[in-house]
Structures are given as structure tokens and as C-alpha cells.
Amino acid sequence: MLEARLQSQQRSSQNGRETSLWSSGFGMKLEAVTPFLGKYRPFVGRCCQTCTPKSWESLFHRSIMDLGFCNVIQVKEESTRFRGWLVRRLCYFLWSLEQHIPPCQDAPQKVMESTGVQNVIPGRAPGGAGEGQVPSHVKREVQHILGHIQAPPRPFLLRLVSWALLRILNCLFLNVQLHKGQMKMVHKAAQAGSPLVLLSTHKSLLDGILLPFVLLSQGLGVLRVAWDPRTCSPILRALLKKLGGLFLPPEADLSLDSSEGVLARAVVHAAVEQLLVSGQPLLIFLEEPPGAQGPRLSTLGQTWLGLVVQAVQVGIVPDAMLVPVAITYDLVPDAPRDTYHASAPLGLWTGALAVLWSLRGWGCSRRACVRVHLAQPFSLHEYTVNARSCWGSRQTLEQLLQPIVLGQCTVVPDTEKVQEWTPVTGPLLALKEEDQLLVRRLSCHVLNACVASSAVMSTAIMATLLLFKHQKGVCLSQLLGEFSWLTEETLLRGFDVGFSGQLQCLVQHTLSLLRPHVALLRVQQGDLLVVLRPGPGLAHLARLSSEMLPAFLSEAVGACAVWGLLVGRVLPEGPWELQGIELLSQNQLYHQILLLMHLLPQDLLLLQPCQSSYCYCQEVLDRLIQCGLLVAEETPGSRPACDTGRRRLSAKLLWKPSGDFTDSDSDDFEEAEGRYFRLSQQSRCPDFFLFLCRLLSPLLKAFAQAATFLHRGQLPDTESGYAEQLLRFLEATAQEEGFFECVDPNLAISAVWTFRDLGVLQQVPSPAGPMLHLSPTFASRDNQEKLERFIRQFICN
């Protein structure tokens, strides 16, 4: 008992010392530096110049880059028309009363009189009422379906919720930042007369309430939000509809030959058409709700986008302005994971308890920052006219990679990969096949723009540094320099950061947000050692670090491809100088990058439909050269690669499409045969090269573990059941090896779906539903080991 008491006293004293370190500002006297306020911050979010050149020119002006940011939740006396001591105490309430809420009464009669509904009525009432009359039971059905979809927004309720939300957001967040120049672009697009359709990422359950609040405060009116009915209880749905919410009726998912489904889809089409005609802005989430295990692109989001596309194509409205939207958090203040992972929808009381839990758990010391990003609007009509794609001929992953994995072939086919993980259901099935493809390409294009315009938050930078550069610990003085370095690298790559201020204060705030996963230890010379707490919490840091991956994705793919080339030639543990001796031809680099591109999920790469794989290969190679990792090797007597003075234009240049250019120094890929590169011998290159390789290690290690698990898994099983088996195996392996970064349900399901596309697993229909079986080709241990070796060649240990 005495020994146990001594141990408990030691633990309490250690916790007390650690608490004092957190609360005393680290107890260090460091120089206060302001590294980010004076640096160049790129204006992100320009639309695609290839697909929408007119929008790229007309809806942007250089002057909007200098307008700066505003804190949306900072409401003071100056935000109202009144002045005085009483106004200072009631400014939130007065501000909510002054918000302009335009009348947006829904028109059930116009929906009833729409062409689509009128065409369906004869089938619902054979031999019914006279000409021009709607039978009463059909009218009740239409009203019932319309009641599922929407309700007239209530201005009083909107003002009340805005007032309450303003108080809650000030308790949850330090600030909610919005760029004034981005808001000016959206206002300019709204003044053109076309309805606004905002297409957003989905990081939190709070997004659907926060974004309408932000846009209402900026004078855009009531934002109609397309909610997922699976995430809300009937009471919560009724409340959200009175706040401007839209819900897809369950009858819309019925089969195409069902009369109830036909009527429901006609009513949904008519409701969306009337909404667009009235000019009300619409918000659609392109990503699945947070916590959902499945494809990144939302089936429901594509359905609502397909309704908008069809309304523009049939001429209900001449055009619609699409606005990519992204919202990023330091930490997402959601409810506990079991709250929104449960199969039951979120209820009104459950939501209230989640808010109270967030207010209780965060407190003043853990309040985070939020950035809302509005990318450059572009014309939907212009996109549908000019949209071009390099997907002329496409093949499945099994056709592309399986012969190479098994050693039956060494040449990668000159085609694009087809990988559609998002199922097509509901009203999207009623569209033509080319329109469905247009909606899928548009969704990928917009989601790529959303991710490219998202700012990188301080927690993502800190998690990336601690996981992939200093997993064994780092001194705080060194961490300050690394934080500044990674911030500069992010800005140089055209990505914005969601913070500014003094370096020491930023690092202290970020570490306090990550306090459950980070420990501070005092060392000699008064410095502090920052170490990660081992355990499953590393998976949370891995999810945070994934927000950093888009900024370095091209370099990470190129570094892993270079690593795969060097593994077969030089010992991985050999010195950097020996690895730098190896010559790497450009064709070999293209081949290796293509292999890794096809292996990685499309949800991760998010390639623009107007960009071919070979263009992306050249972009990856250019990035490796620009960051200094690869150096061109000039053969004696040959003209330098940078010498273009005596080069003549090729005849092919006169007709070659712009998407087929490789780079400024070549006219065709044939010239790449004589080009060679070496790894740079600069002192910073080895660490930076390994850092880039490790960025993809959680996903690649999950794939490699899935290949190891093939002979241990219990098959046949459903996709979800086999993914659960794989997740338990990843957890058991992480307990043995200490690598918890790949223990993620989304990585497990991505591995299962990739292996299904690769032909490793086969889906066979059965009375109980589709079941996964191990394909005969990979039933042998030899082929399973070939698959694992193919994946592990890209992993840097």
C-alpha cells in the first residue's frame, strides 16, 4: 500500500509539473517573432482557366486580394445602427434584428402547375377529373411530398437562432475568418442575376448551420441547405426546414418504373426549379457527412447537383453560378464519436446535448479558429459547353495493374483509370448516361477546387511535423523553426494558411489544442521536449495531418515513386551519396509515377477531369525539380536541357491539344528517352525526401497490411464485414508494431474497395446480398506476396 501511495504521489506531482508547463507559457523566454503577417499569402480559389475561361477573367480583379479578412462572429456596438451603453450589452440581439431576410415564400401552386408534375398526373389518376383539374388525392400526395422537401422559412425563428448561434460560436471559437475579397466575388456573381449554388466540403455536423449564418451576416439572404435526411430525426428535420433546410423525400429513391417514385422525382425537380427561378442561394455538400465510412463524394450531393444541371439544360434558368466552398477547423467541435457514428439519426435533444458537451469540453483554453473559403464563382452553362475530358478510353484497375503486379507485363497501358465508388441512386438514375457522367466530372472538378482553396490550419502543420519528422520527440526551440519552415513551404506551393501572429504564441496555442496527444518534458538548459503520447491517439493526429497532404501530394507521389526505383538498386539503409549516384531516366520515372497513381484511390488524388495522367506525371516531375530533389544530368556533348534557342517548333505543335503538352522544353514524350536525373546532394534533401515519402505511409501501409491479411481473413463476407475484420487486424498489428496511423476505418474500406477493383476480391451476388470472395488468381500465397511486394516498394521504412 505504501508503494502504491508513493507511485500515485509521483504521478500526481508529474501531472502537476506538466500542468504548470502548459499554463505558464512553457516557462521559456524566447524571442517574439512575427513570421507570417508580412509574408506573401496567395489568393487561392481561382476557377479552371481551361473549362471556364470567361468566368476566370470576368469575376476576378487584382484589387480584391488586398481587402483582408473579417471575423464574422465579432459583433460590437459599431455593427448596429445604435450607440450607447445599453447597445453594447444588447448588440448581439440588435444585430440579429437588423439582418435582412428577404421574403422567400415557397409556391406549392407553382410546383403543382409545373410541366413535370402535370405530365405525371394522368398516370396517377387514370380517367380522373376533367381537363386542367388535379384530383384531390393527387394534390394531397404532391403536398405531402413537398412537405417532406421544404417549408417556408420563418423570419422570427431565423433571427432567434442567429442570436443564439452567435453566442454559441463565440464560446466555441476564437474567430471565424472570412476573406472580404472572396465575399466580394460572390456578391459580384449574385448581381449578375443568376442563382447561386454553393458546393461545399463537409468537415463537421456544424457546417450546415455555420455556413448559412456566415452568408446571412454578409447580406446574401437565407441560404437553402440540402441536408441528409439520414442524419436528422423527424423533429430536427421539421426545425431545419423552417430555417431553410431541404430534404430529399424517401419516395425519390424508388425504382424508375414505380409510380410513387416518378411523382416524387417530378415534385423534387419542380421544387428545385422554383427555388432557382426565385433566386434563392442553395448549399449542397459534395462530401459525405463526417464519420461516414464510404466514398468521399456524396451520393446525395451529386443528386442535388444533377437536379440543378438538368434545370439549366432544359432552360428553366439560363445559367447558375457555382461557388466552391470549403470550411476548415483547428479542431472539429463535434459531439463524441459514438454520437454521430450511431445508426440512429441525430435528434433535437441529442444535438442540444452535443452543444453542451462541446461548450463544457472545450473551454476558453481550447477554443479553436475557423476559416470559411469561398472560391471564384463560375458559370455552369459555360462549363457544360466547354468541359473537356481526357477520359477518351478508360480501363479498370484490374486491366491496368493486375498484369504488372503478377509480372506478366511491364508496360502501363496508355489509358485513364475508371474508378467510380459513389453509387448512382435516386433522381440521378433518371438522367441520361452522358448527363450522369457530366455530373460526376463536375463534382470531381468542384471538390478539387474546394480542397485547393482550403487553408492549412496550425494543428495540421503541427501534427504533420510530430508524426512524420519528430515522432521520437523534438525540443521546443527546434520545433519553432520547423513550424516556420513548413509554413513557408506551404505558402510557396500556393496554399494559404489559416493563422497569423507571433510564432511562440502560435505554437503554444496549437500544442494546447493537441494536449491530449502531446506531452511536454523539461530538459536541461531550460528547454522543453515535445513528445507524442503513444497509443490510438496517433490515429487522430494522422487524420489532422491529412489536411496537409494536398499541398505536398504531387511531391509525395514523386518521392515514393523515386523510392520504388531506388529500392531495387541501392540498399535503403545506404548513405544518401550512394543513392545520388544512380541515374533515373525520365521514362522510368513516368512509369513508376503512373503505377502509384493507379494504385492510389481517386478520392485521394482528386484529379481534374480536364487533366490527363501523363500531364499529372509531368507536373509531379516538375515539382520534384522545383523543390530541388531532382537534378537534370547532362550527358557530355549534348545540348543542355534548358537551351531552347536553336530549337524549332515541331509540326505537331500546330495541332496538339493543350492538355497533351509535357513541359516547356519538349514537344513530345519521345524526347524524354534521353533525359536522366539524379538525386540532389544538398544537405537538406535527405530529410525532406524522407518527409515526403512518409506523408503517404499511413495509406500505403494500410494497403500492405490488407495484402498480408488476405490469407487470414474469413471469406466470403460482406464488404462492411470484411472491412471490420481488416480494421481489427490493423489494430492488433498496431499494438505490436506501435504504428497506429493506419488504424482508420476509412483506410480499411479504401483498401477493400481498391482490392475489389484490382481483381483481388470478387463480388458475387447471393440471397443475403453481394458477398466478397477471394479471386482464384490471388488464392495462391505466391501471388499474394507479389501484391504485397508491389505495394511495399513505395513505402519508406
Side-chain angles (χ1 to χ4, degrees):
M1 293 177 62
L2 180 60
E3 183 180 357
R5 183 176 300 176
L6 289 174
Q7 290 179 355
S8 63
Q9 290 177 355
Q10 291 175 357
R11 284 195 299 268
S12 62
S13 63
Q14 181 180 358
N15 293 336
R17 288 193 300 269
E18 185 177 339
T19 303
S20 66
L21 290 177
W22 287 105
S23 59
S24 63
F26 302 142
M28 299 178 62
K29 292 184 178 180
L30 297 175
E31 181 183 359
V33 183
T34 308
F36 311 119
L37 286 176
K39 290 189 178 296
Y40 169 72
R41 300 180 72 116
F43 188 85
V44 297
R46 299 296 303 273
C47 62
C48 180
Q49 193 174 11
T50 303
C51 301
T52 53
K54 293 182 180 179
S55 301
W56 189 85
E57 293 178 357
S58 61
L59 296 176
F60 178 79
H61 193 272
R62 292 290 178 185
S63 62
I64 67 177
M65 299 171 58
D66 304 325
L67 294 180
F69 294 89
C70 65
N71 184 8
V72 178
I73 61 175
Q74 186 179 11
V75 175
K76 297 182 179 180
E77 178 186 2
E78 292 78 10
S79 305
T80 67
R81 294 179 298 160
F82 308 98
R83 297 294 181 267
W85 65 271
L86 185 59
V87 175
R88 287 192 290 272
R89 286 155 180 79
L90 299 177
C91 57
Y92 286 4
F93 177 72
L94 294 175
W95 175 86
S96 63
L97 290 180
E98 291 183 351
Q99 295 307 304
H100 175 63
I101 300 179
C104 49
Q105 294 291 333
D106 297 305
Q109 188 62 32
K110 291 184 179 180
V111 171
M112 190 77 66
E113 296 173 355
S114 66
T115 305
V117 175
Q118 290 294 323
N119 292 336
V120 176
I121 288 177
R124 298 290 296 165
E131 183 178 356
Q133 299 181 359
V134 180
S136 59
H137 71 280
V138 177
K139 184 179 294 186
R140 286 194 299 269
E141 287 184 19
V142 173
Q143 292 175 349
H144 175 73
I145 295 172
L146 194 59
H148 271 291
I149 300 173
Q150 63 186 7
R154 305 295 176 86
F156 173 76
L157 189 59
L158 282 167
R159 299 184 192 279
L160 180 64
V161 171
S162 298
W163 169 78
L165 192 60
L166 188 58
R167 287 193 168 276
I168 294 174
L169 292 177
N170 275 281
C171 295
L172 286 177
F173 304 117
L174 286 174
N175 52 61
V176 178
Q177 296 289 340
L178 175 67
H179 198 284
K180 297 178 183 178
Q182 295 176 351
M183 198 65 237
K184 186 174 182 180
M185 284 194 306
V186 176
H187 276 296
K188 186 177 180 181
Q191 293 171 1
S194 298
L196 291 178
V197 180
L198 293 91
L199 306 171
S200 174
T201 58
H202 206 359
K203 302 298 181 184
S204 167
L205 297 174
L206 193 61
D207 294 349
I209 299 176
L210 178 58
L211 288 175
F213 169 81
V214 170
L215 297 177
L216 176 64
S217 67
Q218 300 301 310
L220 275 186
V222 179
L223 186 64
R224 310 304 296 267
V225 184
W227 288 87
D228 189 348
R230 300 170 299 175
T231 61
C232 305
S233 66
I235 297 178
L236 186 58
R237 283 202 299 268
L239 175 63
L240 292 176
K241 280 188 288 188
K242 294 178 181 179
L243 296 176
L246 300 173
F247 293 89
L248 202 65
E251 296 86 356
D253 290 329
L254 297 177
S255 60
L256 296 180
D257 55 355
S258 170
S259 59
E260 292 84 359
V262 172
L263 178 62
R265 286 186 286 271
V267 174
V268 172
H269 277 283
V272 172
E273 291 169 0
Q274 292 302 320
L275 187 146
L276 295 175
V277 169
S278 64
Q280 301 177 51
L282 173 64
L283 173 63
I284 300 172
F285 291 108
L286 288 182
E287 287 184 322
E288 287 290 343
Q293 299 178 18
R296 185 172 185 177
L297 278 172
S298 169
T299 303
L300 185 65
Q302 290 192 0
T303 298
W304 285 103
L305 182 57
L307 295 172
V308 175
V309 170
Q310 191 172 19
V312 173
Q313 285 184 335
V314 299
I316 300 297
V317 288
D319 198 1
M321 302 304 297
L322 304 185
V323 185
V325 181
I327 181 168
T328 52
Y329 302 84
D330 276 337
L331 286 180
V332 178
D334 270 336
R337 297 185 66 84
D338 54 356
T339 300
Y340 58 84
H341 278 199
S343 57
L346 182 66
L348 186 60
W349 293 111
T350 308
L353 290 176
V355 171
L356 293 177
W357 178 89
S358 299
L359 294 175
R360 173 184 175 274
W362 281 60
C364 295
S365 62
R366 295 195 65 207
R367 287 196 299 166
C369 302
V370 187
R371 277 282 299 273
V372 178
H373 319 269
L374 303 174
Q376 183 180 5
F378 64 92
S379 165
L380 174 59
H381 177 72
E382 183 186 9
Y383 179 85
T384 56
V385 172
N386 297 333
R388 54 179 299 272
S389 175
C390 299
W391 295 352
S393 59
R394 299 194 293 168
Q395 292 184 357
T396 63
L397 189 61
E398 181 178 357
Q399 296 170 326
L400 289 172
L401 280 190
Q402 191 181 101
I404 298 175
V405 170
L406 299 178
Q408 301 171 356
C409 177
T410 59
V411 179
V412 184
D414 186 13
T415 57
E416 302 295 325
K417 176 181 68 173
V418 52
Q419 190 175 58
E420 302 294 347
W421 286 356
T422 304
V424 180
T425 58
L428 202 59
L429 276 174
L431 299 181
K432 300 178 182 178
E433 186 176 354
E434 56 268 22
D435 292 336
Q436 295 179 18
L437 184 59
L438 174 65
V439 172
R440 287 198 296 267
R441 292 176 179 177
L442 178 58
S443 302
C444 293
H445 215 303
V446 175
L447 189 56
N448 176 279
C450 294
V451 172
S453 63
S454 300
V456 178
M457 307 303 284
S458 59
T459 49
I461 292 180
M462 185 63 68
T464 303
L465 288 173
L466 295 178
L467 272 180
F468 303 123
K469 277 185 75 71
H470 304 291
Q471 197 164 14
K472 295 182 179 180
V474 58
C475 292
L476 183 59
S477 57
Q478 182 183 357
L479 184 60
L480 292 171
E482 295 279 359
F483 189 92
S484 179
W485 162 79
L486 192 53
T487 301
E488 292 181 11
E489 292 290 336
T490 305
L491 293 172
L492 287 173
R493 282 159 178 78
F495 281 75
D496 198 5
V497 293
F499 53 88
S500 62
Q502 292 184 344
L503 180 59
Q504 180 183 353
C505 296
L506 283 171
V507 173
Q508 179 181 355
H509 171 72
T510 305
L511 289 176
S512 65
L513 292 176
L514 301 179
R515 184 174 179 177
H517 314 291
V518 176
L520 296 181
L521 304 176
R522 189 177 294 280
V523 294
Q524 296 178 354
Q525 290 85 34
D527 204 349
L528 294 177
L529 185 67
V530 183
V531 295
L532 293 176
R533 300 182 189 271
L538 296 179
H540 176 71
L541 293 181
R543 284 190 291 271
L544 285 176
S545 66
S546 64
E547 302 295 330
M548 170 67 72
L549 186 57
F552 293 88
L553 183 57
S554 298
E555 290 98 325
V557 170
C560 290
V562 172
W563 180 268
L565 286 176
L566 294 176
V567 163
R569 305 182 186 184
V570 184
L571 292 177
E573 61 272 9
W576 181 261
E577 289 76 12
L578 290 180
Q579 297 178 4
I581 296 176
E582 292 294 323
L583 285 178
L584 308 173
S585 71
Q586 187 163 330
N587 282 340
Q588 291 173 336
L589 289 170
Y590 281 157
H591 178 267
Q592 203 73 5
I593 293 171
L594 276 176
L595 292 181
L596 183 55
M597 276 182 56
H598 292 326
L599 178 65
L600 295 176
Q602 189 67 30
D603 285 355
L604 174 69
L605 292 176
L606 287 179
L607 295 182
Q608 291 183 346
C610 57
Q611 183 182 30
S612 67
S613 295
Y614 277 96
C615 284
Y616 185 75
C617 287
Q618 186 60 46
E619 178 185 336
V620 170
L621 189 57
D622 290 342
R623 289 292 187 91
L624 292 178
I625 297 172
Q626 290 170 4
C627 69
L629 287 179
L630 287 184
V631 179
E633 178 70 15
E634 307 290 353
T635 57
S638 64
R639 186 173 71 245
C642 60
D643 183 12
T644 59
R646 293 174 293 174
R647 184 164 304 187
R648 297 183 179 179
L649 292 177
S650 170
K652 299 179 181 180
L653 188 62
L654 300 177
W655 56 264
K656 185 183 298 184
S658 61
D660 293 338
F661 288 125
T662 56
D663 61 5
S664 59
D665 295 336
S666 63
D667 294 328
D668 208 339
F669 278 99
E670 297 175 358
E671 296 189 10
E673 297 179 358
R675 292 188 185 166
Y676 291 88
F677 299 89
R678 293 183 189 271
L679 287 175
S680 175
Q681 296 302 305
Q682 298 180 16
S683 58
R684 69 175 185 88
C685 287
D687 290 339
F688 188 51
F689 179 79
L690 295 179
F691 168 74
L692 292 175
C693 289
R694 289 167 183 162
L695 289 177
L696 290 174
S697 58
L699 175 67
L700 293 175
K701 285 188 177 181
F703 281 17
Q705 294 288 350
T708 306
F709 182 67
L710 286 175
H711 69 279
R712 303 184 185 183
Q714 301 296 324
L715 289 173
D717 198 355
T718 60
E719 283 186 354
S720 58
Y722 189 71
E724 284 291 332
Q725 293 186 45
L726 177 58
L727 182 61
R728 290 195 296 268
F729 176 73
L730 293 176
E731 293 173 348
T733 307
Q735 293 290 343
E736 298 174 0
E737 301 179 357
F739 192 85
F740 290 90
E741 290 87 329
C742 62
V743 183
D744 191 319
N746 288 324
L747 294 182
I749 195 69
S750 294
V752 172
W753 287 349
T754 300
F755 282 11
R756 181 196 62 191
D757 296 344
L758 190 55
V760 179
L761 301 173
Q762 291 181 344
Q763 200 171 42
V764 179
S766 69
M771 304 292 287
L772 287 180
H773 295 254
L774 188 63
S775 69
T777 305
F778 287 90
S780 65
R781 289 295 301 275
D782 184 34
N783 287 344
Q784 293 177 11
E785 291 175 357
K786 289 181 180 178
L787 174 63
E788 186 175 357
R789 285 197 301 270
F790 175 79
I791 298 173
R792 288 194 180 275
Q793 68 175 321
F794 302 108
I795 300 176
C796 176
N797 297 318

